[in-house]
């Protein structure tokens, strides 16, 4: 099935299946929200009333196809809550651009009720007292989670409902800030996958590597089989590409047990601890492998071209990239295989967790916040989470999503050769292997800086020491306007 037909299948399922939700009530949870000046939010704010019109604003970064799915969910949501008007708008640019837009509006109060976010961004919002602690909503008598929204059973036979039904690492992420509370909730998560040219692998008898040692051994074999160079001296083909220089650095640090960043300031002078001997050794080894012509990254490619682009054109035989970008790794030029990315130790694997969460801003009234919470519960219920996820390559955020009729129908109708099916099935095997990095004001800066270190070292524009020293200086002296 082609990429286009796969998307049509999912949109058809969206239209065919009723999207479930739960009703609301008439009282509002207690709140410990604070205003941007740090004072308590007014207790006299109007409580939610399902018969009173209320408008909420949702800012996100969805493209048109995903936004169309969201629009369909809003229509279904309004069948249950006709009094709630959801004004959704897609901010131009990246998640970081959306973060910058929100931060620039904190002082003016022109904020949405809810928005896409990454943990690094929420740390900035918390620092400015701009977001709501949503903990009191989770188990609220009227507005808390219900079994109808999603229920699953774990390996020990225990029933998981509400927060427990969300993939553990996804939900835990929203509580791992330097301020106690629940400041973000998962919407659509992604990880990284190894996309490979299965046609070429089958022709040459290559085996998909599971560890980095196996990966580099295979890359050397491929380099020997495909040694040609162009007039510019560049290899015509590359064994491996990595779409994110930052993810390569951070993932290897996690897998190798190397210091990257920390929230333990009792034992460290700074959050930034990546300028250490272990990291210097890791970068030196990567430089040697790069000089052998074994891999490319986005940062080392001409015009910073994503390696997925060269993968689909056949110039790169394997590419490690976000499952949220699955469509960019789909091609009719050859059969695409999907596998778990390589790890250092198969007994202790580690793959990065990414993808948008949602946070709620405290400039809204309590009625708006409650309405936004009800909308969040709806778009992340078992069925809606899987509908959004499998059509994009993102992962559903609830365990129960994988037991829904819509998921089963997706697998049946799409076929085993569909890349979205392959990604969904591969991602589902990695639930227990996800990791996230410490979150604090400046953690996004650290990610950005180490992402610059990798290409500068690989391409030889800076020594390992100079690159790390500069990155550390930029991080330590970081201030966000």
């Amino acid at each position: 099935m082609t990429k286009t037909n796969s998307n049509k299948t999912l949109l058809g399922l969206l239209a065919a299946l009723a999207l479930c939700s739960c009703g609301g009530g008439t009282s509002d949870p207690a709140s410990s929200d604070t205003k941007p000046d740090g004072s308590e939010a007014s207790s006299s704010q109007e409580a939610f009333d399902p018969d009173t019109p209320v408008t909420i604003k949702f800012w996100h970064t969805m493209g048109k196809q995903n936004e169309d799915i969201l629009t369909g969910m809003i229509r279904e949501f309004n069948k249950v809550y006709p009094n709630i008007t959801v004004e959704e708008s897609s901010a131009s640019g990246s998640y970081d651009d959306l973060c910058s837009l929100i931060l620039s509006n904190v002082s003016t109060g022109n904020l949405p009720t809810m928005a896409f976010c990454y943990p690094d961004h929420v740390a900035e919002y918390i620092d400015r007292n701009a977001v709501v602690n949503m903990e009191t909503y989770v188990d609220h008598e009227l507005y808390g989670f219900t079994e109808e929204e999603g229920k699953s059973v774990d390996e020990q036979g225990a029933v998981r409902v509400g927060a427990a039904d969300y993939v553990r690492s996804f939900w835990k992420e929203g509580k791992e800030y330097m301020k106690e509370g629940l400041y973000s909730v998962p919407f659509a998560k992604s990880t990284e996958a190894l996309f490979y040219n299965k046609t070429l692998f089958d022709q040459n008898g290559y085996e998909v590597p599971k560890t980095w040692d196996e990966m580099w051994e295979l890359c050397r074999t491929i380099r020997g089989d495909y040694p040609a160079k162009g007039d510019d001296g560049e290899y015509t083909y590359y064994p491996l590409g990595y779409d994110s220089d930052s993810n390569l650095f951070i993932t290897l640090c996690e897998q190798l047990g190397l210091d990257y960043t920390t929230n333990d300031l009792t034992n460290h002078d700074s959050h930034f601890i990546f300028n250490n001997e272990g990291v210097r050794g890791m970068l030196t080894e990567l430089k040697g492998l790069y000089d052998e012509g074994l891999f490319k990254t986005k940062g080392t490619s001409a015009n910073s071209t994503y390696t997925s682009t060269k993968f689909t054109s056949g110039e790169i035989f394997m590419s490690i990239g976000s499952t949220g970008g699955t469509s960019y790794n789909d091609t009719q030029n050859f059969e695409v295989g999907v596998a778990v990315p390589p790890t250092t130790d198969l007994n202790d694997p580690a793959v990065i967790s990414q993808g948008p969460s949602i946070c709620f801003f405290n400039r809204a009234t309590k009625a708006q916040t409650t309405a936004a919470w009800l909308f969040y519960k709806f778009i992340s219920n078992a069925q809606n989470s899987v509908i959004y996820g499998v059509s994009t390559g993102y992962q559903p955020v609830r365990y129960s999503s994988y037991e829904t009729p819509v998921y089963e129908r997706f697998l049946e109708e799409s076929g085993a050769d569909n890349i979205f099916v392959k990604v969904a099935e591969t991602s589902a095997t990695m639930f227990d292997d996800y990791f996230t990095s410490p979150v604090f004001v400046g953690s996004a800066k650290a990610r950005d800086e180490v992402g610059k270190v990798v290409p500068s070292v690989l391409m030889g524009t800076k020594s390992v020491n100079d690159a790390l020293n500069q990155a550390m200086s930029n991080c330590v002296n970081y201030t966000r306007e």
Side-chain angles (χ1 to χ4, degrees):
M1 182 178 289
T2 65
K3 171 172 56 180
T4 301
N5 286 339
S6 173
N7 292 338
K8 287 181 178 178
T9 297
L10 267 296
L11 292 174
L13 291 176
L14 178 61
L17 294 176
L19 303 179
C20 62
S21 176
C22 284
T26 58
S27 66
D28 211 49
S31 174
S32 58
D33 308 344
T34 55
K35 295 180 180 179
D37 63 3
S39 62
E40 290 296 318
S42 171
S43 60
S44 63
Q45 288 179 310
E46 182 182 0
F48 178 75
D49 180 348
D51 296 322
T52 301
V54 59
T55 298
I56 62 175
K57 295 181 179 180
F58 178 27
W59 291 1
H60 54 79
T61 56
M62 295 180 193
K64 185 180 185 308
Q65 178 182 309
N66 295 359
E67 198 169 11
D68 288 344
I69 297 174
L70 176 66
T71 300
M73 291 182 182
I74 292 173
R75 284 196 299 267
E76 295 297 323
F77 176 71
N78 284 145
K79 293 178 182 178
V80 183
Y81 292 102
N83 65 309
I84 301 176
T85 299
V86 181
E87 295 181 353
E88 58 87 12
S89 60
S90 181
S92 60
S94 65
Y95 295 112
D96 286 340
D97 294 326
L98 175 58
C99 175
S100 295
L101 175 64
I102 289 171
L103 288 173
S104 69
N105 281 290
V106 168
S107 61
T108 68
N110 181 28
L111 294 173
T113 320
M114 58 195 294
F116 266 8
C117 62
Y118 265 58
D120 293 330
H121 305 149
V122 179
E124 302 273 358
Y125 306 153
I126 292 174
D127 186 58
R128 303 192 186 195
N129 293 311
V131 287
V132 179
N133 176 2
M134 301 299 291
E135 225 164 14
T136 54
Y137 285 83
V138 175
D139 296 317
H140 188 264
E141 181 181 0
L142 294 175
Y143 303 130
F145 290 112
T146 67
E147 290 190 7
E148 289 77 13
E149 292 161 348
K151 180 178 70 173
S152 57
V153 179
D154 67 16
E155 293 81 358
Q156 286 72 44
V159 176
R160 296 178 293 209
V161 179
D165 185 47
Y166 287 77
V167 175
R168 187 182 63 83
S169 60
F170 297 164
W171 189 262
K172 183 181 177 184
E173 178 186 85
K175 305 184 76 172
E176 293 191 326
Y177 298 100
M178 297 194 71
K179 184 177 181 181
E180 186 175 349
L182 176 68
Y183 291 98
S184 62
V185 284
F187 173 67
K189 291 300 178 180
S190 62
T191 185
E192 290 188 318
L194 173 65
F195 299 93
Y196 63 97
N197 186 329
K198 188 175 186 302
T199 301
L200 182 138
F201 268 55
D202 290 346
Q203 290 172 352
N204 289 276
Y206 299 148
E207 292 188 10
V208 178
K210 295 181 179 179
T211 67
W212 280 110
D213 286 342
E214 293 173 357
M215 171 61 79
W216 300 129
E217 181 179 351
L218 173 61
C219 287
R220 289 189 176 98
T221 298
I222 293 174
R223 175 51 62 229
D225 292 343
Y226 295 87
K229 291 186 177 182
D231 294 337
D232 59 359
E234 279 279 309
Y235 285 107
T236 305
Y237 301 101
Y238 273 87
L240 173 66
Y242 213 118
D243 253 348
S244 170
D245 294 76
S246 299
N247 283 3
L248 174 59
F249 185 106
I250 295 168
T251 297
L252 286 178
C253 281
E254 181 71 19
Q255 292 182 357
L256 293 168
L258 303 176
D259 288 333
Y260 164 53
T261 56
T262 183
N263 277 331
D264 180 12
L265 298 184
T266 59
N267 295 310
H268 298 277
D269 296 332
S270 168
H271 289 287
F272 312 104
I273 55 174
F274 54 78
N275 191 1
N276 59 72
E277 183 177 355
V279 170
R280 287 190 285 273
M282 175 191 77
L283 290 170
T284 300
E285 182 178 355
L286 282 178
K287 168 66 172 168
L289 296 165
Y290 178 82
D291 289 345
E292 288 185 57
L294 303 188
F295 75 105
K296 281 289 228 182
T297 67
K298 178 179 181 290
T300 61
S301 300
N303 301 315
S304 290
T305 302
Y306 281 102
T307 61
S308 55
T309 301
K310 291 184 176 294
F311 170 70
T312 56
S313 69
E315 299 173 64
I316 287 177
F317 298 158
M318 295 176 283
S319 181
I320 297 175
S322 171
T323 55
T326 293
S327 61
Y328 297 109
N329 292 279
D330 197 8
T331 180
Q332 301 301 308
N333 295 330
F334 50 83
E335 183 180 355
V336 179
V338 181
V340 175
T343 190
T344 301
D345 181 359
L346 288 176
N347 293 318
D348 188 23
V351 288
I352 199 164
S353 176
Q354 304 178 122
S357 291
I358 289 175
C359 62
F360 304 80
F361 294 90
N362 60 14
R363 287 301 181 90
T365 66
K366 283 189 176 182
Q368 289 172 322
T369 302
T370 302
W373 170 254
L374 294 173
F375 181 61
Y376 166 72
K377 288 203 306 169
F378 185 85
I379 61 177
S380 69
N381 68 33
Q383 285 196 143
N384 286 341
S385 185
V386 74
I387 286 171
Y388 187 86
V390 296
S391 62
T392 60
Y394 283 101
Q395 291 173 261
V397 295
R398 301 185 74 141
Y399 294 113
S400 56
S401 291
Y402 296 89
E403 301 171 7
T404 58
V406 67
Y407 184 72
E408 295 173 358
R409 188 169 167 186
F410 162 70
L411 296 180
E412 293 172 1
E413 295 193 2
S414 298
D417 292 335
N418 182 275
I419 191 172
F420 289 92
V421 171
K422 294 177 181 179
V423 166
E425 293 182 331
T426 300
S427 298
T429 68
M430 296 188 278
F431 284 151
D432 297 329
D433 304 333
Y434 295 133
F435 76 90
T436 56
S437 301
V439 179
F440 51 88
V441 175
S443 55
K445 180 64 173 176
R447 175 181 171 80
D448 180 59
E449 288 297 325
V450 300
K452 296 174 183 176
V453 165
V454 172
S456 64
V457 168
L458 297 184
M459 299 175 74
T461 58
K462 290 182 181 178
S463 68
V464 170
N465 284 338
D466 287 347
L468 287 175
N469 287 337
Q470 183 63 62
M472 279 291 291
S473 177
N474 292 344
C475 287
V476 171
N477 297 313
Y478 165 77
T479 57
R480 185 154 196 165
E481 297 298 329

